[in-house]
Amino acid sequence: MTNLSVTVGSLRLENPIMPASGTFSEDLAKIFDIGVLGAHVTKTITRDIRGGNPTPRVCEVRGSMLNSIGIPSKGVDYFKSEVIPFYNQYDTPLVVSISAGSADEFARLCEDVSVPGVAAIEVNISCPNIEADGKAFAMRPSTTEEVMRKLRSATDLPLWAKLSPNTGETTEVALAAEGAGADALVVANTLLSMAIDIRSRKPKLGNLMGGLSGPGLKPITLRMTYQCAKAVDIPIIGCGGISTVEDVIEYLIAGASAVQVGTATFIRPTAMVQIIRDLAAYVESQGLASVSDLTGSIRDEEASDGIVFLEAAQ
Amino acid sequence: MTIDIGFKRIYETSCVVKSNMAINREYQLMVLDAPARILDCEPGQFFHLLCPSKGDLNPYFRRPMSIYGYYPDAGELHFLYKIAGEGTAALASLEPGENLNVVGPLGHGFEIRDDWQNLMVVARGVGLATLAPLALKAQQLGRKLTAICSARSPEVLMSIDHFRELGAKVIPVTDSEGTSSVQNLERLIEQQITNVGVDAFYTCGSSRILHLLQSMCARYDIPGQIALEQQMACGVGMCQCCVRSFRRNGGIVNERVCKEGPVFDLQEAIA
Ligand SMILES: Cc1cc2nc3c(=O)[nH]c(=O)nc-3n(C[C@H](O)[C@H](O)[C@H](O)COP(=O)(O)OP(=O)(O)OC[C@H]3O[C@@H](n4cnc5c(N)ncnc54)[C@H](O)[C@@H]3O)c2cc1C
Ligand SMILES: Cc1cc2nc3c(=O)[nH]c(=O)nc-3n(C[C@H](O)[C@H](O)[C@H](O)COP(=O)(O)O)c2cc1C
Ligand code: FES
């Protein structure tokens, strides 16, 4: 078997393909052996039991989708007693995604889930921060830094910060997360969007607005991956619109060390299996010693320096 | 390493279309050549269909579709559907010999308890598609089934023959003949309860029928089940988009139509 292993900081993954938070659950194990994945990433949990947003919670837009699922959560206790033991049947590293409305609450939850059986913690700082008028922590460098510092002191496990494409300060936010002790960046979450039914004139989502994901998001999160990889020294996990091995290779070339696959799994539940198979074939056909040879191999030459800080195309 | 996934397998499979044609002005019947492993189904379960992209039609999500028939011996999987929008229009464009990628079987189906001898189906329109496999199962188990089939007009009243072939007694009612009113349904159901007896009711979709059955089942203390619909993205329980509210233990709970459903307890359902 072709060696596809990569490292994300101190964590070694069998291959660079893992699911994106919220688009994966134990249910997928009914369709294929999820032990083949590079890591398992859980749906974001919060401390309390929460219901989530009104329906309709999803809609399709040309070749992509919007969602306003919210974060329905069965709470931490259920998570520890049911979810962690399920995934611990596998040798695959378990990455737990968490969120909270304030930096202190976030840190407490982080400490709470730093238990045996958890390999890394992904912090969904793209969710609304109640103390900052509902603006996500990852919108600004200052709020990112504040919450990441508290999270850092709450755990010794690898800490992955999940960034938001809604910010105009991608590089600054990435640097803030790195400076505050993040071990890796997940780039990125969904982009705030909207769709209206022209016959009824009603928004297509019960929550009015929601996050864009799927192929339409890819050029944006790929751009962010490139910017982040140029700016920081910690590994980047690319995420957004990946559905084929070509998409994965593109993210790796842009600077990602590993990737997450989300929406594609809804369309093709076995998408990740196919991608892993295709990646092995690609690595072999190109005679690469390691997948990581691709990481950051973009030929951007001198053009790169000025452009990484660009936030708006003319 | 043995993993306890705690449930039956689900398959993503490509099937060849055997036939796909209109059976009346409103409904299409699609027959797929399907491998035996995906035909271990229960009545009320569904598949998630990857409708093709054709011309201007580019559906993105899969579309949920009830199993209209599953025949392991013939290696066939049947769907009966109404063209509603982009996805079902694309589905209708499939020609024999083309492939269709399906995920399933999905969800929890109808239950027929051992002591339920007299079953009654009350359904309208395309909802009858969901209930057809129940008639076959009832026949196999030697239970008696009576079906009130409701539609706009006799021309689009489908599945009657199918239900009759499966040994069910069929009572057709239509809007155009003025026989499908709630009052008439109530009278027909009451007759069945007093003359023959009903051990369980099965229905789907229509909120008018749901309300009627909820009150009659409460009055006569008869159990019932309903198949419900909700927009889906993943179809297998991962995304939480397909939730609906249900009355349970004096409160309201949210359940996923794709996973805990699509069949639910009649009294817990909220239209
Ligand atoms: C469990 C289940 C079983 C079903 N079984 C059948 C069946 O046997 N025969 C049949 O004709 N129809 C059935 N339906 C309804 C069928 O899924 C919809 O008619 C179909 O999704 C419409 O897609 P469209 O692109 O043609 O319509 P559009 O209106 O363009 O669809 C837009 C979006 O809304 C969703 N949507 C629209 N109507 C429904 C609906 N009623 N339920 C769920 N999602 C919907 C679509 O999936 C799509 O994502 C079933 C639905 C569910 C949930
Ligand atoms: C239905 C749905 C639910 C999601 N839930 C979460 C979540 O709970 N936490 C999170 O960090 N991201 C969540 N996301 C975002 C994904 O993890 C991912 O960042 C995004 O969808 C982009 O990747 P994709 O285009 O491959 O789907 C969700 C996305 C979708 C579509
Ligand atoms: S459709 Fe995703 S949970 Fe039901």
Side-chain angles (χ1 to χ4, degrees):
Chain A
M1 229 178 67
T2 320
N3 177 15
L4 295 180
S5 67
V6 295
T7 57
V8 175
S10 58
L11 205 60
R12 182 181 174 278
L13 311 180
E14 272 305 309
N15 64 67
I17 312 299
M18 65 185 104
S21 176
T23 63
F24 178 70
S25 70
E26 299 93 300
D27 299 287
L28 208 56
K30 293 185 241 177
I31 305 183
F32 66 86
D33 172 13
I34 58 170
V36 305
L37 300 173
H40 294 151
V41 184
T42 61
K43 168 83 184 167
T44 300
I45 58 159
T46 51
R47 176 171 305 280
D48 314 318
I49 297 169
R50 309 194 342 172
N53 288 328
T55 56
R57 290 178 171 185
V58 293
C59 75
E60 53 177 42
V61 290
R62 291 284 136 221
S64 295
M65 70 173 282
L66 310 188
N67 90 80
S68 58
I69 305 288
I71 304 184
S73 179
K74 290 188 182 167
V76 186
D77 294 335
Y78 176 86
F79 189 78
K80 285 191 189 169
S81 65
E82 303 293 326
V83 181
I84 295 179
F86 175 85
Y87 287 110
N88 284 167
Q89 296 179 93
Y90 298 87
D91 297 330
T92 316
L94 177 63
V95 181
V96 171
S97 171
I98 59 168
S99 182
S102 75
D104 289 324
E105 175 56 21
F106 220 138
R108 271 195 298 277
L109 181 57
C110 186
E111 197 173 339
D112 242 23
V113 298
S114 297
V115 295
V118 175
I121 297 176
E122 180 176 296
V123 291
N124 180 3
I125 56 171
S126 340
C127 61
N129 174 0
I130 295 163
E131 289 166 356
D133 308 329
K135 274 206 164 60
F137 297 99
M139 289 297 288
R140 298 192 209 117
S142 57
T143 43
T144 300
E145 170 154 4
E146 188 211 341
V147 71
M148 289 307 297
R149 277 209 193 288
K150 292 193 168 154
L151 287 163
R152 181 68 284 168
S153 41
T155 188
D156 293 326
L157 287 173
L159 198 56
W160 298 359
K162 186 159 178 185
L163 305 193
S164 166
N166 296 319
T167 180
E169 302 177 276
T170 303
T171 320
E172 293 82 351
V173 168
L175 286 165
E178 181 184 42
D183 295 294
L185 303 177
V186 180
V187 183
N189 214 309
T190 56
L191 182 67
L192 192 64
S193 303
M194 192 168 182
I196 301 169
D197 181 334
I198 59 167
R199 279 156 304 188
S200 65
R201 301 195 184 186
K202 285 189 184 153
K204 287 191 179 176
L205 295 176
N207 201 41
L208 309 187
M209 290 181 254
L212 173 72
S213 65
L217 179 64
K218 201 189 83 178
I220 296 160
T221 41
L222 183 79
R223 176 267 296 170
M224 291 178 68
T225 296
Y226 174 73
Q227 288 177 306
C228 291
K230 287 279 167 191
V232 301
D233 292 325
I234 51 177
I236 312 292
I237 297 154
C239 176
I242 294 174
S243 44
T244 64
V245 72
E246 286 80 10
D247 297 330
V248 173
I249 296 164
E250 207 177 341
Y251 270 98
L252 296 175
I253 294 172
S257 299
V259 296
Q260 296 184 345
V261 178
T263 306
T265 297
F266 297 166
I267 311 304
R268 295 265 186 180
T270 56
M272 288 186 283
V273 181
Q274 187 64 45
I275 289 174
I276 293 168
R277 212 179 286 141
D278 292 347
L279 186 61
Y282 178 81
V283 164
E284 212 146 286
S285 73
Q286 300 291 305
L288 299 175
S290 157
V291 187
S292 56
D293 290 353
L294 291 168
T295 297
S297 62
I298 183 166
R299 296 193 180 150
D300 51 357
E301 280 127 34
E302 300 83 35
S304 68
D305 301 347
I307 283 172
V308 281
F309 289 97
L310 204 67
E311 282 291 352
Q314 285 80 18
Chain B
M1 186 166 52
T2 56
I3 306 291
D4 178 15
I5 57 170
F7 16 62
K8 243 173 77 178
R9 275 211 60 180
I10 295 170
Y11 299 91
E12 179 188 337
T13 320
S14 186
C15 296
V16 175
V17 177
K18 269 191 169 172
S19 66
N20 184 26
M21 54 193 181
I23 58 161
N24 62 33
R25 264 192 288 121
E26 289 191 354
Y27 300 107
Q28 299 273 133
L29 174 66
M30 180 158 64
V31 177
L32 300 180
D33 198 345
R37 66 176 188 279
I38 73 167
L39 296 174
D40 182 11
C41 311
E42 294 166 30
Q45 284 190 302
F46 68 102
F47 275 83
H48 218 189
L49 312 183
L50 189 63
C51 305
S53 279
K54 289 219 175 170
D56 292 340
L57 303 172
N58 294 292
Y60 183 61
F61 288 145
R62 285 173 179 265
R63 299 298 195 257
M65 208 56 76
S66 297
I67 301 165
Y68 180 57
Y70 55 100
Y71 306 98
D73 294 340
E76 285 185 1
L77 181 60
H78 295 199
F79 297 103
L80 187 71
Y81 61 100
K82 187 174 170 159
I83 300 180
E86 195 168 14
T88 44
L91 208 57
S93 74
L94 282 172
E95 304 276 348
E98 288 191 271
N99 286 310
L100 177 66
N101 181 296
V102 307
V103 171
L106 298 169
H108 288 95
F110 294 106
E111 189 188 3
I112 305 179
R113 295 222 180 109
D114 291 345
D115 56 340
W116 292 352
Q117 290 302 324
N118 292 304
L119 316 179
M120 184 160 211
V121 161
V122 185
R124 183 171 168 87
V126 81
L128 286 162
T130 311
L131 291 155
L134 184 74
L136 177 59
K137 182 83 179 279
Q139 187 188 43
Q140 287 164 352
L141 294 173
R143 313 296 167 89
K144 292 201 194 68
L145 186 133
T146 304
I148 299 184
C149 301
S150 169
R152 283 201 289 112
S153 65
E155 303 84 71
V156 296
L157 193 54
M158 33 137 225
S159 300
I160 292 194
D161 296 340
H162 188 58
F163 275 98
R164 284 206 177 110
E165 279 161 25
L166 297 171
K169 182 180 153 208
V170 178
I171 308 174
V173 296
T174 62
D175 302 354
S176 64
E177 297 164 311
T179 47
S180 62
S181 67
V182 170
Q183 293 83 342
N184 195 43
L185 287 180
E186 180 161 10
R187 192 182 57 79
L188 291 168
I189 295 168
E190 208 129 49
Q191 266 175 12
Q192 184 75 12
I193 294 173
T194 41
N195 298 347
V196 187
V198 177
D199 296 318
F201 281 95
Y202 301 88
T203 187
C204 50
S206 159
S207 47
R208 255 179 0 135
I209 296 178
L210 170 62
H211 286 139
L212 174 65
L213 287 181
Q214 277 178 333
S215 78
M216 296 192 75
C217 285
R219 198 181 320 152
Y220 292 97
D221 195 20
I222 300 172
Q225 293 170 18
I226 182 167
L228 292 170
E229 296 183 356
Q230 181 64 287
Q231 169 146 40
M232 295 183 181
C234 76
V236 299
M238 300 187 285
C239 74
Q240 313 283 339
C241 84
C242 65
V243 296
R244 287 182 69 122
S245 302
F246 297 88
R247 278 184 285 263
R248 188 173 300 162
N249 304 328
I252 298 287
V253 297
N254 277 333
E255 302 234 283
R256 290 163 292 191
V257 171
C258 74
K259 189 174 174 188
E260 284 83 34
V263 175
F264 293 93
D265 180 84
L266 184 80
Q267 296 297 352
E268 290 184 352
I270 301 174

